[in-house]
Amino acid sequence: MSRFHVNGNVVEWVELLKKRHWPWRLDVWPFAILYAVWLLTIVPSIDFFDALIVFGGLVTLHILVLLFTAWSVDFRCFVQYSKVKDIHHADACKVTPSKFSGSKEIVPLHFRESSAGSVSRPLDAEEIYFDFRKQCFIFSKERETFWKLPYPSKETFRYYLKSTGHGSEAKVATAIEKWGRNVFEYPQPTFRKLMKEHCMEPFFVFQVFCVGLWCLDEYWYYSLFTLFMLFLFESTMAKSRLKTLTELRRVTVDAQTLMVHRCGRWVELPGTELLPGDVVSIGRLSGEDKSVPADMLILAGSAIVNEAILTGESTPQWKVSISGRGTEVKLSIKRDKTHILFGGTKILQHTPDKSFHLKTPNGGCLAIVLRTGFETSQGKLMRTILFSTERVTANSWESGLFILFLLIFAIIAAGYVLKKGFEDPTRSRYKLFLSCSLIITSVIPPELPMELSIAVNTSLIALARRGIFCTEPFRIPFAGKVDICCFDKTGTLTSDDMEFHGVVGLEDNLDLWSDMTNVPVRTLEILAACHALVFVDNKMVGDPLEKAALKGVDWSYTFDEKAMPKKGSGHAVQIIQRHHFASHLKRMSVVVRVQEEFFAFVKGAPETIQDRLIDLPSSYVHTYKKYTRQGSRVLALAYKRLPDMAVGEARSLDRDLVESGLTFAGFAVFNCPIRTDSASVLSELRGSSHDLVMITGDQALTACHVAGQVHIISKPTLILGPARNGDGFAWIPPDETDVIAYSDKEVEALSDSYDLCIGGDCFEMLQQTNAVLQVIPYVKVFARVAPEQKELIMTTFKTVGRMTLMCGDGTNDVGALKQAHVGVALLNAVPPAQSGDTLSSQTSKSKSKPVKPKKPKSGSEINVDNKTVTRLDSSASGSNRRLTAAEKHRKKLKQLMDEMNEEGDGRSPPIVKLGDASMASPFTAKHASVAPTTDIIRQGRSTLVTTLQMFKILGLNCLATAYVLSVMNLDGVKLGDMQATISGVFTAAFFLFISHARPLPTLSAARPHPNIFCAYVFLSLLGQFSAHLLFLISAVNEASKYMPEECIEPDSDFHPNLVNTVSYIVNMMIQVATFAVNYMGHPFNQSIPENKPFMYALLAAVGFFTIVASDLFRDMNDWLKLVPLPEALRGKLIIWAFLMFCTCYMWERLLRWAFPGRMPAWKKRQQQAAAILQKKRL
């Protein structure tokens, strides 16, 4: 088998290849034969000059073949390799990555003898593998395909608890051979190497070829100007990439020594020598501020960790050991995050466990290494950043097709010239072929690759200024096409600050008890002790909800894990063991001791706790639903008295035993205020033709209440849930009045008059009945969904053809953020627009540690935005004293200089550092608000519109150029060298200024056209080109009347005459009109008067041609080789130019009105997808 299907996140296909010996390569032997034929048959038979032309053609073809082997991986495979079926005959393989994971590559295939046996591989077995993008893929004989090198990260908990590290030197040697060192290694590219790579790109080679052709046609200035512009652009790009890669290479595994248990004893080893399977002692020892060197699983002890570098989650996370977990349960890194220390994160404090059988020598936590190097979470983020530094463009496949479309026109024009040229036997064949080559190459303007890159890079820089960072720039144009925006609720739409309202459900009435003195002491004890709060640097940190509960019951919590009342005579509650909150269980519990008695305290989702109570109060469901309908967050509280036992026994109690047979202790009611700008931002999104959806882990009634407040739902609501009679499912309104039976066929019709909501418990039913595609696309609120269900929602939306945006926090929304076309992870920082005390947390951070500008961050430092800090300091000092005018001016100047230094020149994308990016999603916003979604969509629409207008302008310019170079060239009309250069300068300036147009501050209801290929673009091009052509032909014919006696030879050198002058002026008038008419201003970007540089460039061009046409400065016209225009012709030209401009303008406006951008017809796609699924089922 020569082709293997890998179907992974990184690699899709692998093909086996064997390198041909160089004489048998297809870029060697066929050309050797051709050169021999040329020498032996062509040279003797024809004129030597003609034979040289043939030789030139052969050499060009050979160079092209060699270049194609550099450009196309498939072509290189065809020319230099042969396919093989037996893996032992192969020495390389072609790797096809998954969609959006980069381009194909040929990588060497390695064979090695396994020096020692392992569980999975017998002694002396052969290992076949290849390395791709810093990941190793091994051939598996059982599976008959390649799969990612396995790490010990999916074993049972029994396996980890029994592990004592690598027991012998032989095992250590095997592990080193298998996994390598724990380092981030990638070669540092040189500027020369990157420049060579850029100069080998097809566009660049093509443009250099064009420059050569223009030189042959004696356009010296124009050729040199273009060549200079190309080299300047490519060197800037290479320099920017070099800067990014150098920045990334500074990220290393922190130099630190750890105690590692190897060969039955504890030894000191540097972090770079760690291997998967090593048992280590880790913690914050002797106050050193080092990051975790690899991904590790805690076997004994607990730690508090700052994970901001990876997830952006500012709240420190509590990590606990796996003791107490079922020994046969297999580790899942997604599910069991509370037990894992991720590489690159920082341990703030740790607590060792002295009762474990293997004791650490230095009082650290005992942990086992799971993954090292590029396989760690930090390594994965590094790979994302590293392999997305390639050049970015918008609509790359469409640009290719569009050029192909223009090429057809150019080939027709060139064919016409060739046909006419062959009819005249006196014409020079050399000049004829040169003319045809110039016509065909004129289709691709030298500015195209630059303009496409600038459009995306301008958006990247604008977003970076607003604290939004992007690791996958190709997604920016997607943001312009988004038609459905999905939001997480808690911490995204609502604030993190919870307000404790009181306790309810202790009696049969539904009254809320906000006075804590009347509440039973057991309930108060649960609220005060059932939590995961912890002290870090003398400050209590943890879930805002738990802090609010502790404050609400007026209890205090101490360092030694004791909760006690501040007033009154209650007893202290000592926490013995915690079972942390898990999203799949929807509850948490603690084992505590009050005086000498042991209790289990549990809190969680009301519907989860309901099944675990011994005695369920009659008003249980009615009570919690009443408060969730009002948008409150309700937690059920319960407890259980435990028998007398030793503390050690209490610690090792099975979680399921602790959390069953409970006694109800009331509901805790919390209010979660909606963020101040959530409603206005979502209202703007709704008003700008976007559908809104909420996806939350919260209760359905709470979710529907909040969704109503933030404009996600506006119609009456129906919630899908189990029917009351227990038979199937039904749609139930929040007030539970009239119930509608559920049928997947009627969901579309229901969605017209109701807003639908479904809970996570319905997903299983939808998957079993294959109704996912019929139901999910019509739902507005998803409640009580687990992280993997969020992913399913995203993939379903994508399947039915919707462009999705997902906005959530970086912790539990990772899967959905990755699946969405545009994933926006909100870091719990603060909007950069605000200042003062709202930013107090960052102020304290910046004051405690001065920020050094431009100092590269190490792999584990948390990024504090330089600009934010500067703004803070200035606002703080501004409140103390008044600044003088000179100081203000100096400060403004300094800020401007800093910004310019930071943001580069607009042609290179901003550098994304590790502290800015989140491993969660392509976009990371340092805001505690959903406002970045509108910024990203505005920039996406702007990029889309800018790209579309560029293609239209290029299309019209190319069609006009093809006509001028063909039909008019046959009549002897040519451009002067200086004329072509001036024309090129104006075009370059126009393109630069339109790509820097800023988007409008508000989103419009109008949508941009998502594709270049649509009726609007084609009709616009044809209509405007007709007007241009009429103007051009009329003007040249009119000019010909004034010089009938002159006969111009088609191949003669350029010399000034009236027809040349008129055609040049008319051509430039058309060019200016094209830019002015096709500029897409409102409702997406600034209008022409608002885009000042572009307006001034247009005015300068109009002024320049008025001066040239009116012959005011004769010397300048002589320099440009333009002859004076007759008075009557001058007047006619100006009137015709005005009419041409008005015609094009009216036509363009008519088409924009007739063909507005529309919402995608996703319902049709949904029906097709559902029908295909139905066929597969049958």
Side-chain angles (χ1 to χ4, degrees), residues 811-867:
T811 42
N812 57 353
D813 300 322
V814 179
L817 291 167
K818 279 282 184 198
Q819 277 296 337
H821 291 102
V822 180
V824 188
L826 300 182
L827 303 197
N828 294 334
V830 251
Q834 296 172 3
S835 60
D837 47 85
T838 44
L839 295 176
S840 58
S841 62
Q842 260 179 317
T843 323
S844 60
K845 216 183 282 180
S846 63
K847 281 177 184 167
S848 63
K849 184 173 168 191
V851 177
K852 294 173 188 166
K854 282 298 173 193
K855 175 90 169 71
K857 315 262 185 294
S858 79
S860 52
E861 272 178 25
I862 299 157
N863 206 27
V864 178
D865 205 348
N866 288 7
K867 276 178 282 178

Side-chain angles (χ1 to χ4, degrees), residues 627-641:
Y627 286 93
T628 50
R629 269 188 212 113
Q630 295 166 11
S632 299
R633 184 142 180 214
V634 180
L635 290 180
L637 311 176
Y639 69 94
K640 169 186 187 175
R641 192 175 257 103

Side-chain angles (χ1 to χ4, degrees), residues 200-501:
M200 286 286 284
E201 286 192 357
F203 254 113
F204 188 85
V205 172
F206 176 78
Q207 293 306 339
V208 171
F209 173 68
C210 291
V211 166
L213 287 177
W214 291 326
C215 286
L216 290 174
D217 207 27
E218 291 160 16
Y219 284 108
W220 298 106
Y221 291 119
Y222 184 51
S223 305
L224 290 171
F225 165 72
T226 307
L227 202 61
F228 169 73
M229 201 164 72
L230 282 168
F231 271 104
L232 188 74
F233 178 67
E234 294 300 339
S235 59
T236 315
M237 291 292 286
K239 197 173 164 213
S240 113
R241 273 186 68 195
L242 186 68
K243 198 171 163 191
T244 310
L245 294 169
T246 310
E247 189 84 26
L248 278 170
R249 281 194 89 237
R250 293 205 174 98
V251 179
T252 54
V253 173
D254 268 359
Q256 57 180 313
T257 52
L258 291 101
M259 295 302 289
V260 182
H261 196 260
R262 276 197 190 165
C263 308
R265 66 181 194 277
W266 288 99
V267 289
E268 270 199 0
L269 283 176
T272 52
E273 298 303 320
L274 288 183
L275 295 164
D278 266 333
V279 170
V280 299
S281 168
I282 184 112
R284 187 169 183 171
L285 305 162
S286 65
E288 57 181 21
D289 193 22
K290 299 285 184 189
S291 55
V292 179
D295 287 0
M296 302 177 183
L297 179 71
I298 301 180
L299 303 177
S302 63
I304 287 108
V305 182
N306 186 333
E307 291 188 341
I309 189 84
L310 294 184
T311 63
E313 179 59 64
S314 57
T315 308
Q317 303 295 302
W318 194 319
K319 304 288 179 174
V320 293
S321 75
I322 56 171
S323 58
R325 292 293 303 265
T327 53
E328 295 311 313
V329 177
K330 283 198 171 183
L331 173 70
S332 155
I333 287 182
K334 262 187 186 176
R335 184 193 65 216
D336 301 316
K337 281 189 282 198
T338 49
H339 306 304
I340 296 168
L341 297 170
F342 292 105
T345 60
K346 283 192 176 173
I347 296 178
L348 302 175
Q349 70 185 47
H350 75 280
T351 314
D353 180 359
K354 299 195 172 67
S355 63
F356 197 75
H357 66 86
L358 187 62
K359 293 183 177 48
T360 55
N362 55 359
C365 292
L366 191 74
I368 183 167
V369 177
L370 300 176
R371 305 182 295 194
T372 54
F374 276 102
E375 276 305 313
T376 62
S377 295
Q378 185 184 15
K380 208 181 264 183
L381 179 57
M382 295 274 300
R383 283 204 315 267
T384 305
I385 298 172
L386 186 68
F387 296 113
S388 66
T389 53
E390 272 97 55
R391 175 180 292 193
V392 294
T393 60
N395 296 356
S396 48
W397 68 271
E398 287 199 318
S399 57
L401 280 175
F402 191 73
I403 286 167
L404 207 65
F405 162 72
L406 295 177
L407 202 62
I408 293 164
F409 277 88
I411 288 169
I412 293 166
Y416 177 71
V417 169
L418 205 62
K419 180 177 170 287
K420 289 285 182 190
F422 280 138
E423 285 171 7
D424 181 0
T426 58
R427 282 199 71 169
S428 156
R429 295 286 179 267
Y430 161 72
K431 285 275 187 182
L432 189 62
F433 280 111
L434 185 63
S435 294
C436 291
S437 306
L438 279 167
I439 291 166
I440 290 170
T441 55
S442 71
V443 166
I444 305 174
E447 308 88 20
L448 184 70
M450 297 185 221
E451 303 316 332
L452 293 183
S453 296
I454 288 172
V456 175
N457 291 340
T458 306
S459 290
L460 282 177
I461 291 162
L463 290 173
R465 274 184 198 158
R466 299 184 76 91
I468 303 162
F469 298 92
C470 179
T471 52
E472 296 174 10
F474 67 81
R475 290 186 187 269
I476 286 184
F478 285 170
K481 302 177 187 181
V482 163
D483 57 64
I484 185 162
C485 302
C486 309
F487 293 90
D488 176 38
K489 182 182 84 75
T490 314
T492 303
L493 293 171
T494 60
S495 125
D496 277 334
D497 304 321
M498 291 284 183
E499 296 163 3
F500 177 65
H501 261 221

Side-chain angles (χ1 to χ4, degrees), residues 18-33 62 65 69 75-83:
K18 184 174 174 63
K19 202 170 175 76
R20 301 177 198 261
H21 292 297
W22 75 268
W24 301 114
R25 281 173 28 175
L26 296 180
D27 54 355
V28 177
W29 68 263
F31 286 96
I33 294 168
H62 199 171
V65 168
T69 60
F75 190 74
R76 183 156 82 241
C77 286
F78 172 68
V79 169
Q80 298 179 359
Y81 294 85
S82 54
K83 287 183 183 178

Side-chain angles (χ1 to χ4, degrees), residues 60 63 194 257 303 359 365 419 672 684 700 779 788 843 870 879 889 947:
T60 307
I63 289 170
L194 283 177
T257 52
K359 293 183 177 48
C365 292
K419 180 177 170 287
C672 191
E684 187 182 347
V779 174
E788 51 280 4
T843 323
T870 320
S879 60
H889 185 70
T947 311

Side-chain angles (χ1 to χ4, degrees), residues 165 182 226 331 388 671 697 714 796 823 834 896 989 992 1114:
N182 179 30
T226 307
L331 173 70
S388 66
N671 250 22
S714 51
T796 308
Q834 296 172 3
L896 199 70
L992 189 71
R1114 187 63 253 160

